[in-house]
Coordinates of all heavy atoms in Angstrom, one line a residue:
M261 N -5.6 6.4 -6.1 CA -5.8 5.0 -6.0 C -4.5 4.3 -5.8 O -3.5 4.6 -6.3 CB -6.4 4.5 -7.3 CG -7.7 5.1 -7.7 SD -9.1 4.5 -6.8 CE -9.6 3.1 -7.8
R262 N -4.6 3.3 -4.9 CA -3.5 2.4 -4.6 C -3.8 1.0 -4.9 O -5.0 0.6 -4.8 CB -3.1 2.6 -3.1 CG -2.7 4.0 -2.8 CD -1.2 4.2 -3.1 NE -0.9 5.6 -2.8 CZ 0.4 6.0 -2.8 NH1 1.4 5.2 -3.0 NH2 0.6 7.3 -2.5
Q263 N -2.8 0.2 -5.1 CA -3.0 -1.2 -5.3 C -2.9 -2.1 -4.1 O -1.9 -1.9 -3.4 CB -2.0 -1.7 -6.4 CG -2.4 -3.1 -6.9 CD -1.4 -3.5 -8.0 OE1 -0.3 -3.0 -8.1 NE2 -1.8 -4.5 -8.8
C264 N -3.9 -2.9 -3.8 CA -3.8 -3.8 -2.7 C -2.8 -5.0 -3.1 O -3.0 -5.5 -4.2 CB -5.2 -4.4 -2.4 SG -5.1 -5.8 -1.3
M265 N -1.9 -5.3 -2.3 CA -0.9 -6.3 -2.6 C -1.5 -7.7 -2.5 O -0.9 -8.7 -3.0 CB 0.3 -6.2 -1.7 CG 1.4 -5.4 -2.3 SD 2.9 -5.9 -1.5 CE 4.1 -5.7 -2.8
G266 N -2.6 -7.8 -1.8 CA -3.2 -9.2 -1.6 C -4.0 -9.6 -2.8 O -3.8 -10.7 -3.3
C267 N -4.8 -8.7 -3.3 CA -5.7 -9.1 -4.4 C -5.4 -8.3 -5.7 O -6.1 -8.6 -6.7 CB -7.2 -8.9 -4.0 SG -7.6 -7.1 -3.6
N268 N -4.4 -7.4 -5.7 CA -4.0 -6.7 -6.9 C -5.1 -5.7 -7.4 O -5.0 -5.2 -8.5 CB -3.6 -7.6 -8.0 CG -2.3 -8.3 -7.6 OD1 -1.4 -7.8 -7.0 ND2 -2.2 -9.6 -8.1
E269 N -6.1 -5.4 -6.6 CA -7.1 -4.5 -7.1 C -6.7 -3.1 -6.6 O -6.1 -2.8 -5.6 CB -8.5 -4.8 -6.4 CG -9.2 -5.9 -7.2 CD -10.5 -6.3 -6.5 OE1 -11.2 -5.3 -6.1 OE2 -10.8 -7.5 -6.4
H270 N -7.1 -2.1 -7.5 CA -6.9 -0.7 -7.2 C -8.1 -0.2 -6.4 O -9.2 -0.3 -6.8 CB -6.6 0.1 -8.4 CG -5.3 -0.2 -9.0 ND1 -5.1 -1.3 -9.9 CD2 -4.1 0.4 -8.9 CE1 -3.8 -1.3 -10.2 NE2 -3.2 -0.3 -9.6
K271 N -7.8 0.5 -5.3 CA -8.8 1.0 -4.4 C -8.4 2.4 -3.9 O -7.3 2.7 -3.9 CB -9.1 0.1 -3.2 CG -9.3 -1.3 -3.7 CD -10.0 -2.1 -2.6 CE -10.3 -3.5 -3.1 NZ -11.6 -4.1 -2.6
P272 N -9.4 3.2 -3.5 CA -9.1 4.5 -2.9 C -8.2 4.2 -1.6 O -8.4 3.3 -0.9 CB -10.4 5.1 -2.5 CG -11.4 4.3 -3.3 CD -10.9 2.9 -3.5
K273 N -7.3 5.1 -1.4 CA -6.4 5.0 -0.3 C -7.1 4.8 1.1 O -6.7 4.2 2.0 CB -5.5 6.3 -0.2 CG -4.1 6.0 0.1 CD -3.3 7.2 0.0 CE -2.1 7.1 0.9 NZ -1.3 8.4 1.0
S274 N -8.3 5.5 1.2 CA -9.1 5.4 2.4 C -9.6 4.0 2.8 O -9.9 3.7 3.9 CB -10.2 6.4 2.4 OG -11.1 6.0 1.3
E275 N -9.6 3.1 1.7 CA -10.1 1.8 2.0 C -9.0 0.8 2.2 O -9.2 -0.4 2.4 CB -10.9 1.3 0.8 CG -12.3 2.0 0.6 CD -13.0 1.5 -0.6 OE1 -12.8 0.4 -1.1 OE2 -13.9 2.3 -1.0
L276 N -7.8 1.3 2.2 CA -6.6 0.4 2.3 C -5.9 0.7 3.6 O -5.9 1.8 4.2 CB -5.6 0.6 1.1 CG -6.2 0.3 -0.2 CD1 -5.3 0.8 -1.3 CD2 -6.3 -1.2 -0.4
V277 N -5.2 -0.3 4.1 CA -4.3 -0.1 5.3 C -2.9 -0.4 4.8 O -2.6 -1.3 4.1 CB -4.7 -1.1 6.4 CG1 -3.8 -1.0 7.6 CG2 -6.2 -0.9 6.8
R278 N -2.0 0.4 5.3 CA -0.6 0.3 5.0 C 0.1 -0.6 6.0 O -0.1 -0.3 7.2 CB 0.0 1.7 4.9 CG 1.3 1.8 4.2 CD 1.6 3.3 3.9 NE 3.0 3.5 3.7 CZ 3.8 4.1 4.5 NH1 3.4 4.8 5.6 NH2 5.1 4.2 4.3
V279 N 0.8 -1.5 5.6 CA 1.7 -2.3 6.4 C 3.1 -1.7 6.3 O 3.6 -1.7 5.2 CB 1.7 -3.8 6.1 CG1 2.5 -4.6 7.1 CG2 0.3 -4.3 6.0
V280 N 3.6 -1.2 7.4 CA 4.8 -0.4 7.3 C 6.0 -1.1 8.1 O 5.8 -1.6 9.2 CB 4.7 1.0 8.0 CG1 5.9 1.8 7.7 CG2 3.4 1.6 7.4
R281 N 7.1 -1.1 7.5 CA 8.3 -1.5 8.2 C 9.1 -0.2 8.5 O 9.6 0.5 7.6 CB 9.2 -2.4 7.3 CG 10.5 -2.8 8.0 CD 11.2 -3.9 7.2 NE 12.5 -4.2 7.7 CZ 13.6 -3.7 7.2 NH1 13.6 -3.1 6.0 NH2 14.8 -4.0 7.7
A282 N 9.2 0.1 9.8 CA 9.8 1.3 10.2 C 11.3 1.2 10.1 O 11.9 0.1 9.9 CB 9.5 1.6 11.7
P283 N 12.0 2.4 10.0 CA 13.5 2.3 9.9 C 14.2 1.5 11.0 O 15.2 0.9 10.7 CB 13.9 3.8 10.1 CG 12.7 4.6 9.6 CD 11.5 3.7 10.1
D284 N 13.6 1.3 12.1 CA 14.2 0.5 13.2 C 13.8 -1.0 13.0 O 14.2 -1.9 13.8 CB 13.7 0.9 14.6 CG 12.3 0.7 14.9 OD1 11.6 0.1 14.0 OD2 11.8 1.1 15.9
G285 N 13.1 -1.3 11.9 CA 12.8 -2.7 11.6 C 11.5 -3.2 12.2 O 11.0 -4.4 11.8
S286 N 10.8 -2.5 13.0 CA 9.5 -2.9 13.6 C 8.4 -2.8 12.5 O 8.4 -1.9 11.7 CB 9.2 -2.1 14.8 OG 8.9 -0.8 14.5
M287 N 7.4 -3.7 12.6 CA 6.3 -3.7 11.7 C 5.1 -3.2 12.4 O 4.8 -3.6 13.5 CB 6.1 -5.1 11.1 CG 7.3 -5.8 10.5 SD 7.5 -5.2 8.8 CE 5.9 -5.6 8.1
S288 N 4.3 -2.4 11.6 CA 3.0 -2.0 12.2 C 2.0 -1.7 11.1 O 2.4 -1.6 9.9 CB 3.2 -0.8 13.2 OG 3.7 0.3 12.4
L289 N 0.8 -1.4 11.5 CA -0.2 -1.0 10.5 C -0.4 0.5 10.6 O -0.2 1.1 11.6 CB -1.6 -1.6 10.8 CG -1.7 -3.1 10.8 CD1 -3.1 -3.6 11.1 CD2 -1.3 -3.7 9.4
D290 N -0.7 1.1 9.4 CA -0.7 2.5 9.4 C -2.0 2.9 8.5 O -2.0 2.7 7.3 CB 0.6 3.1 8.7 CG 0.5 4.5 8.5 OD1 -0.3 5.2 9.1 OD2 1.3 5.0 7.6
R291 N -3.0 3.5 9.2 CA -4.2 3.9 8.5 C -4.1 5.4 8.0 O -4.9 5.8 7.2 CB -5.4 3.8 9.4 CG -5.8 2.3 9.5 CD -7.0 2.1 10.3 NE -7.2 0.7 10.5 CZ -8.0 -0.1 9.6 NH1 -8.6 0.5 8.7 NH2 -8.1 -1.3 9.8
T292 N -3.1 6.1 8.5 CA -2.9 7.5 8.1 C -2.0 7.7 6.9 O -2.1 8.7 6.2 CB -2.3 8.3 9.2 OG1 -1.0 7.9 9.5 CG2 -3.2 8.2 10.5
G293 N -1.2 6.6 6.6 CA -0.2 6.8 5.5 C 0.9 7.7 5.8 O 1.6 8.1 4.9
K294 N 1.1 8.0 7.1 CA 2.1 9.0 7.4 C 3.3 8.4 8.2 O 4.3 9.1 8.4 CB 1.5 10.1 8.3 CG 0.6 11.0 7.4 CD -0.1 12.1 8.2 CE -0.9 12.9 7.3 NZ -2.1 13.5 8.0
K295 N 3.2 7.1 8.5 CA 4.4 6.6 9.3 C 5.6 6.5 8.4 O 5.4 6.1 7.2 CB 4.0 5.2 9.8 CG 3.1 5.3 11.0 CD 2.9 3.9 11.7 CE 1.8 3.9 12.7 NZ 1.6 2.6 13.3
P296 N 6.8 6.7 8.9 CA 7.9 6.6 8.1 C 8.3 5.1 7.8 O 7.9 4.2 8.6 CB 9.0 7.2 8.9 CG 8.6 7.1 10.3 CD 7.1 7.1 10.3
G297 N 8.9 4.8 6.7 CA 9.4 3.5 6.4 C 8.8 3.0 5.1 O 8.0 3.7 4.4
R298 N 9.1 1.8 4.7 CA 8.6 1.2 3.5 C 7.4 0.4 3.8 O 7.2 -0.1 4.9 CB 9.7 0.3 2.9 CG 10.9 1.0 2.5 CD 11.9 0.0 1.9 NE 11.5 -0.5 0.6 CZ 12.3 -1.2 -0.2 NH1 13.5 -1.6 0.2 NH2 11.9 -1.6 -1.4
G299 N 6.4 0.5 2.9 CA 5.2 -0.2 3.2 C 4.5 -0.8 2.0 O 4.9 -0.6 0.8
A300 N 3.4 -1.5 2.2 CA 2.6 -2.0 1.2 C 1.1 -1.9 1.6 O 0.9 -1.9 2.8 CB 2.9 -3.5 1.0
Y301 N 0.2 -1.8 0.7 CA -1.2 -1.7 1.0 C -2.0 -3.0 0.9 O -1.7 -3.8 0.0 CB -1.8 -0.7 0.1 CG -1.3 0.8 0.3 CD1 -0.2 1.2 -0.3 CD2 -2.0 1.6 1.2 CE1 0.2 2.5 -0.1 CE2 -1.5 2.9 1.5 CZ -0.4 3.3 0.8 OH 0.0 4.6 1.0
V302 N -2.9 -3.2 1.9 CA -3.8 -4.3 1.8 C -5.2 -3.7 2.1 O -5.4 -2.7 2.8 CB -3.5 -5.4 2.8 CG1 -2.3 -6.2 2.4 CG2 -3.4 -4.9 4.2
C303 N -6.3 -4.4 1.6 CA -7.6 -3.9 1.7 C -8.4 -4.7 2.8 O -9.5 -4.2 3.2 CB -8.3 -3.9 0.4 SG -8.7 -5.6 -0.2
S304 N -8.0 -5.8 3.2 CA -8.8 -6.6 4.1 C -7.9 -7.6 4.9 O -6.8 -7.8 4.5 CB -9.8 -7.4 3.3 OG -9.2 -8.4 2.5
A305 N -8.5 -8.2 5.9 CA -7.8 -9.2 6.7 C -7.4 -10.4 5.8 O -6.3 -11.0 6.0 CB -8.6 -9.6 7.9
Q306 N -8.3 -10.7 4.9 CA -8.0 -11.9 4.0 C -6.8 -11.6 3.1 O -6.0 -12.5 2.9 CB -9.2 -12.1 3.0 CG -10.4 -12.8 3.7 CD -11.5 -11.7 4.1 OE1 -11.1 -10.7 4.7 NE2 -12.7 -12.0 3.7
C307 N -6.7 -10.3 2.7 CA -5.6 -10.0 1.8 C -4.3 -9.9 2.6 O -3.2 -10.3 2.1 CB -5.8 -8.6 1.1 SG -6.9 -8.8 -0.2
L308 N -4.4 -9.6 3.9 CA -3.2 -9.6 4.8 C -2.7 -11.1 4.9 O -1.5 -11.4 4.8 CB -3.5 -9.0 6.1 CG -2.4 -8.8 7.1 CD1 -1.4 -7.8 6.6 CD2 -2.9 -8.4 8.5
T309 N -3.7 -12.0 5.1 CA -3.3 -13.4 5.2 C -2.8 -13.9 3.9 O -1.8 -14.7 3.9 CB -4.6 -14.2 5.6 OG1 -5.1 -13.6 6.8 CG2 -4.3 -15.7 5.8
R310 N -3.3 -13.5 2.8 CA -2.9 -13.9 1.5 C -1.4 -13.4 1.3 O -0.6 -14.2 0.8 CB -3.7 -13.2 0.4 CG -3.9 -14.0 -0.9 CD -4.8 -13.4 -1.9 NE -6.2 -13.5 -1.5 CZ -7.2 -12.8 -2.2 NH1 -6.9 -12.0 -3.1 NH2 -8.4 -13.0 -1.8
L311 N -1.1 -12.2 1.7 CA 0.2 -11.7 1.6 C 1.2 -12.5 2.5 O 2.3 -12.7 2.1 CB 0.1 -10.2 2.1 CG 1.1 -9.2 1.5 CD1 1.0 -9.2 0.0 CD2 0.8 -7.8 2.1
R312 N 0.7 -12.9 3.6 CA 1.5 -13.7 4.5 C 1.9 -15.0 3.9 O 3.1 -15.4 3.9 CB 0.7 -13.9 5.8 CG 1.4 -14.8 6.8 CD 0.6 -15.0 8.0 NE 1.3 -15.8 9.0 CZ 1.0 -16.0 10.3 NH1 -0.1 -15.4 10.7 NH2 1.7 -16.7 11.1
K313 N 0.9 -15.6 3.2 CA 1.2 -16.9 2.6 C 2.1 -16.8 1.3 O 2.9 -17.7 1.0 CB -0.1 -17.6 2.2 CG -0.8 -18.1 3.4 CD -2.1 -18.8 3.0 CE -2.8 -19.3 4.3 NZ -4.3 -19.3 4.1
S314 N 1.9 -15.7 0.6 CA 2.7 -15.5 -0.7 C 4.1 -15.1 -0.5 O 4.9 -15.2 -1.4 CB 1.9 -14.5 -1.6 OG 2.1 -13.2 -1.1
K315 N 4.4 -14.6 0.7 CA 5.8 -14.0 1.0 C 6.1 -12.8 0.1 O 7.2 -12.4 0.1 CB 6.9 -15.1 0.7 CG 6.6 -16.4 1.4 CD 7.4 -16.4 2.7 CE 7.2 -17.8 3.4 NZ 7.5 -17.7 4.8
R316 N 5.1 -12.2 -0.5 CA 5.3 -11.1 -1.4 C 5.8 -9.9 -0.6 O 6.6 -9.1 -1.1 CB 4.0 -10.8 -2.1 CG 4.2 -10.1 -3.4 CD 2.9 -10.0 -4.2 NE 3.0 -8.8 -5.1 CZ 2.0 -8.3 -5.7 NH1 0.8 -8.8 -5.5 NH2 2.1 -7.2 -6.4
L317 N 5.3 -9.7 0.6 CA 5.7 -8.5 1.4 C 7.1 -8.6 1.8 O 7.8 -7.6 1.7 CB 4.8 -8.4 2.6 CG 5.0 -7.2 3.4 CD1 4.6 -5.9 2.6 CD2 4.1 -7.2 4.7
E318 N 7.5 -9.8 2.1 CA 8.9 -10.0 2.5 C 9.9 -9.6 1.3 O 10.9 -9.0 1.5 CB 9.2 -11.5 2.8 CG 9.0 -11.8 4.3 CD 7.7 -12.6 4.5 OE1 6.8 -12.5 3.7 OE2 7.7 -13.4 5.5
H319 N 9.5 -10.0 0.1 CA 10.3 -9.6 -1.1 C 10.3 -8.1 -1.2 O 11.3 -7.5 -1.5 CB 9.7 -10.3 -2.3 CG 10.1 -11.7 -2.4 ND1 11.3 -12.1 -2.7 CD2 9.3 -12.8 -2.3 CE1 11.4 -13.5 -2.7 NE2 10.1 -13.9 -2.5
T320 N 9.1 -7.5 -1.1 CA 9.0 -6.0 -1.3 C 9.8 -5.3 -0.3 O 10.5 -4.3 -0.6 CB 7.6 -5.6 -1.2 OG1 6.8 -6.3 -2.2 CG2 7.4 -4.1 -1.4
L321 N 9.8 -5.7 1.0 CA 10.4 -5.0 2.0 C 11.9 -5.5 2.3 O 12.6 -5.0 3.1 CB 9.6 -5.1 3.3 CG 8.2 -4.5 3.3 CD1 7.5 -4.7 4.6 CD2 8.2 -3.1 2.9
E322 N 12.2 -6.5 1.5 CA 13.6 -7.1 1.6 C 13.9 -7.5 3.1 O 15.0 -7.1 3.6 CB 14.6 -6.1 1.0 CG 14.4 -5.9 -0.4 CD 15.2 -4.8 -1.0 OE1 15.7 -4.0 -0.2 OE2 15.3 -4.7 -2.2
T323 N 13.0 -8.2 3.7 CA 13.2 -8.6 5.1 C 12.4 -9.9 5.3 O 11.5 -10.2 4.6 CB 12.7 -7.5 6.1 OG1 13.1 -7.9 7.4 CG2 11.2 -7.3 6.0
S324 N 12.7 -10.6 6.4 CA 11.9 -11.7 6.7 C 11.0 -11.3 7.9 O 11.4 -10.6 8.7 CB 12.7 -13.0 7.1 OG 13.5 -12.7 8.2
I325 N 9.8 -11.8 7.9 CA 8.8 -11.4 8.9 C 8.5 -12.6 9.7 O 7.9 -13.6 9.2 CB 7.6 -10.8 8.2 CG1 8.0 -9.6 7.3 CG2 6.6 -10.3 9.3 CD1 6.9 -9.0 6.5
P326 N 8.8 -12.6 11.0 CA 8.5 -13.8 11.8 C 7.0 -14.0 12.1 O 6.2 -13.1 12.0 CB 9.2 -13.5 13.1 CG 9.9 -12.2 13.0 CD 9.4 -11.6 11.7
D327 N 6.6 -15.3 12.4 CA 5.2 -15.6 12.6 C 4.6 -14.7 13.6 O 3.5 -14.3 13.5 CB 5.1 -17.1 13.1 CG 5.1 -18.0 11.9 OD1 4.9 -17.6 10.8 OD2 5.2 -19.2 12.1
E328 N 5.3 -14.4 14.7 CA 4.7 -13.6 15.8 C 4.4 -12.2 15.3 O 3.4 -11.6 15.8 CB 5.7 -13.6 17.0 CG 6.9 -12.8 16.8 CD 8.2 -13.5 17.3 OE1 8.3 -14.7 17.0 OE2 9.0 -12.9 17.9
V329 N 5.2 -11.7 14.4 CA 4.9 -10.4 13.8 C 3.6 -10.4 13.0 O 2.7 -9.6 13.1 CB 6.1 -9.8 13.1 CG1 5.7 -8.5 12.3 CG2 7.2 -9.6 14.0
W330 N 3.5 -11.5 12.1 CA 2.3 -11.6 11.3 C 1.1 -11.8 12.2 O 0.0 -11.2 12.0 CB 2.4 -12.9 10.4 CG 3.2 -12.7 9.2 CD1 4.4 -13.2 8.8 CD2 2.8 -11.8 8.1 NE1 4.8 -12.8 7.6 CE2 3.9 -11.9 7.1 CE3 1.8 -11.0 7.8 CZ2 3.8 -11.2 5.9 CZ3 1.7 -10.3 6.6 CH2 2.7 -10.4 5.7
N331 N 1.2 -12.6 13.3 CA 0.1 -12.8 14.2 C -0.3 -11.4 14.8 O -1.5 -11.1 14.9 CB 0.5 -13.7 15.3 CG 0.7 -15.1 14.8 OD1 0.2 -15.5 13.7 ND2 1.4 -16.0 15.6
Q332 N 0.6 -10.6 15.2 CA 0.4 -9.3 15.8 C -0.3 -8.4 14.7 O -1.3 -7.7 15.1 CB 1.7 -8.7 16.2 CG 1.6 -7.3 16.7 CD 2.8 -6.4 16.2 OE1 3.9 -6.9 16.3 NE2 2.5 -5.2 15.7
L333 N 0.1 -8.4 13.5 CA -0.5 -7.6 12.5 C -1.9 -8.0 12.2 O -2.8 -7.2 12.0 CB 0.4 -7.7 11.2 CG 1.8 -7.0 11.2 CD1 2.5 -7.3 9.9 CD2 1.7 -5.5 11.4
E334 N -2.1 -9.3 12.1 CA -3.5 -9.8 11.8 C -4.4 -9.4 13.0 O -5.6 -9.0 12.7 CB -3.4 -11.3 11.6 CG -2.9 -11.7 10.3 CD -2.8 -13.2 10.0 OE1 -3.0 -14.0 11.0 OE2 -2.5 -13.6 8.9
K335 N -3.9 -9.5 14.2 CA -4.7 -9.2 15.4 C -5.0 -7.7 15.3 O -6.2 -7.3 15.6 CB -4.0 -9.5 16.6 CG -4.8 -9.8 17.8 CD -4.0 -10.4 19.0 CE -4.5 -9.8 20.3 NZ -3.5 -9.9 21.3
E336 N -4.0 -6.9 15.0 CA -4.2 -5.5 15.0 C -5.2 -5.1 13.9 O -6.0 -4.2 14.1 CB -2.8 -4.8 14.6 CG -2.6 -3.4 15.1 CD -1.2 -2.9 14.8 OE1 -0.2 -3.6 14.9 OE2 -1.1 -1.8 14.4
F337 N -5.1 -5.8 12.8 CA -6.1 -5.5 11.7 C -7.5 -5.7 12.1 O -8.4 -4.9 11.9 CB -5.7 -6.3 10.5 CG -6.3 -5.8 9.2 CD1 -5.4 -5.2 8.3 CD2 -7.6 -5.9 8.9 CE1 -5.9 -4.7 7.1 CE2 -8.1 -5.3 7.7 CZ -7.3 -4.8 6.8
Q338 N -7.7 -6.9 12.8 CA -9.0 -7.2 13.3 C -9.5 -6.3 14.3 O -10.7 -5.9 14.3 CB -9.1 -8.7 13.7 CG -9.2 -9.6 12.6 CD -8.6 -11.0 12.8 OE1 -8.2 -11.3 13.9 NE2 -8.3 -11.7 11.7
N339 N -8.7 -5.9 15.2 CA -9.1 -4.9 16.3 C -9.5 -3.6 15.6 O -10.5 -3.0 16.0 CB -7.9 -4.7 17.2 CG -7.7 -5.9 18.2 OD1 -8.6 -6.7 18.2 ND2 -6.6 -5.9 18.8
D340 N -8.6 -3.1 14.7 CA -8.9 -1.9 14.0 C -10.3 -2.0 13.3 O -11.1 -1.1 13.3 CB -7.8 -1.6 13.0 CG -6.6 -1.0 13.6 OD1 -6.6 -0.9 14.8 OD2 -5.7 -0.5 12.9
A341 N -10.5 -3.1 12.6 CA -11.7 -3.2 11.8 C -12.9 -3.2 12.7 O -14.0 -2.6 12.4 CB -11.7 -4.5 11.0
A342 N -12.8 -3.7 13.9 CA -13.9 -3.7 14.9 C -14.2 -2.3 15.4 O -15.3 -2.0 15.8 CB -13.6 -4.7 16.0
N343 N -13.2 -1.5 15.3 CA -13.4 -0.1 15.9 C -13.9 0.9 14.8 O -14.3 2.0 15.2 CB -12.0 0.4 16.4 CG -11.6 -0.3 17.6 OD1 -12.5 -0.8 18.4 ND2 -10.3 -0.4 17.9
V344 N -13.9 0.5 13.6 CA -14.3 1.5 12.5 C -15.9 1.6 12.6 O -16.6 0.6 12.7 CB -13.8 1.0 11.1 CG1 -14.5 1.9 10.1 CG2 -12.3 1.2 11.1
Ligands
ZN156 ZN1 -7.1 -6.8 -1.4

């Protein structure tokens, strides 16, 4: 079980998506849990948006995340969800 950073609920890893900051600084989503880098788990698009507003991810990853990267992550999340 992992904790979603958006709603603080514990869920099976299969229901969560990892937001990863790669060693080169790029951000992406990781459904396999295997990408290198530091990350945080979210369970839904709403939680991703919540995380964006709270700035909690920025604190965890010790980086600032520009709007365009958040937009890309949110889009990626929705595209992924549509494919499941
Ligand atoms: Zn959540």
Side-chain angles (χ1 to χ4, degrees):
M261 300 286 271
R262 298 277 177 166
Q263 189 177 21
C264 169
M265 262 204 150
C267 61
N268 294 324
E269 279 180 41
H270 287 85
K271 307 202 176 214
K273 219 175 153 186
S274 58
E275 289 179 22
L276 297 165
V277 179
R278 197 167 159 246
V279 185
V280 188
R281 179 174 172 253
D284 69 3
S286 66
M287 304 281 303
S288 62
L289 298 181
D290 174 22
R291 285 179 185 271
T292 64
K294 286 177 182 151
K295 285 191 188 173
R298 297 179 71 171
Y301 290 90
V302 288
C303 69
S304 64
Q306 287 98 309
C307 283
L308 187 66
T309 303
R310 209 179 285 171
L311 210 56
R312 177 180 183 167
K313 286 182 184 148
S314 72
K315 307 263 182 205
R316 203 172 153 194
L317 187 61
E318 273 108 328
H319 283 289
T320 302
L321 300 181
E322 295 168 347
T323 186
S324 65
I325 303 170
D327 274 348
E328 69 229 43
V329 172
W330 277 116
N331 292 340
Q332 174 222 314
L333 291 174
E334 285 178 349
K335 207 171 140 199
E336 206 179 318
F337 200 107
Q338 276 149 18
N339 288 345
D340 279 9
N343 290 333
V344 169

